[in-house]
Amino acid sequence: MMRNLIAIGATMLMLFAAGWVQAGVCEIVNGSFEDDGPIDDIIAQEPNGWDVNMPSGKITGKTEASWSTDGNFSLLFSSQWFTAFAARDAGTVSQDVFLDDVNEITFDLKLDTYSGLGWDPNNATAVVMIDDEVVWEPNGASSDIRGEYTGQSYAVEDKYRDGEPHKLSFSLRINIDTEGGFFEFYRVWWDSIECVIYCDGGGFLAGDFNRDCYVDASDLQQAADVWLLEVESDDKHNLFRDDDLAGFGTINFFDLAILADNWLHRSYKEQQEVSAVEINGY
Ligand SMILES: [Ca+2]
Ligand SMILES: [Ca+2]
Ligand SMILES: [Ca+2]
């Protein structure tokens, strides 16, 4: 009996130890562009960790201190003026990363023109790419995309979880052919590029309202607080939405059933680890 209690106690300790949010930074090197200090020309000196690809004479790149969201420096791309461009000309930094355990890639950027005039996204834009495919860009519906875009994120798609490295790129990209160029410098600053890992890469389970990688009594309490109340459809407690009406839903047994399905479950990866412990020891 005593041995069993000790075993259960030990198991629970391990479960609790494994239960903390695993939010961390993956293997992006120098994602904040702090390693080198200022670099006048990233063609001449690549920022630590990054591969540089620039259309020479058309777009310049530097690390400098005029804007940053983490540390002192950021990466600045600037298109040159009165220079002929072809659509898809792009200044790019990239590095190969494994995305298997990554839930989100987060980053900050700022878009501005030199003259202070508007930035038409038909002329140029800033993009995040994986394997040269665009996975994020500013809202193209806007006729002026200048502004600070902090706390941006791209939710990594499952297709990139294949055990292979993928080329993650950050760019200033020209969108049109122009012989005469632009009477403008389009400038983008990138900073604070991170990989975020939740729940050992398994992501949050439905019903994990307080995002601690575990669906338990504290989440149930949140559901109880809004029980049978009408909430907006996108309310985080509204897990089941098929019975929503006109943008509003109710927190009822359909929602509770989804929460119950994940009750005391961990992310898929942690479940595997817990199973292994059970098979091996208890
Ligand atoms: Ca920085
Ligand atoms: Ca929770
Ligand atoms: Ca509902």
Side-chain angles (χ1 to χ4, degrees), residues 32 34 70 73 191:
S32 191
E34 300 296 313
D70 175 53
F73 303 101
D191 203 6

Side-chain angles (χ1 to χ4, degrees), residues 31-34 67-74 190-192:
S32 191
F33 303 101
E34 300 296 313
W67 184 82
S68 69
T69 56
D70 175 53
N72 297 315
F73 303 101
S74 60
W190 293 100
D191 203 6
S192 302

Side-chain angles (χ1 to χ4, degrees), residues 20-25 195-200 204 213:
W20 303 113
V21 180
Q22 302 285 313
V25 179
C195 286
V196 183
I197 298 169
Y198 297 118
C199 311
D200 269 352
F204 294 111
C213 302

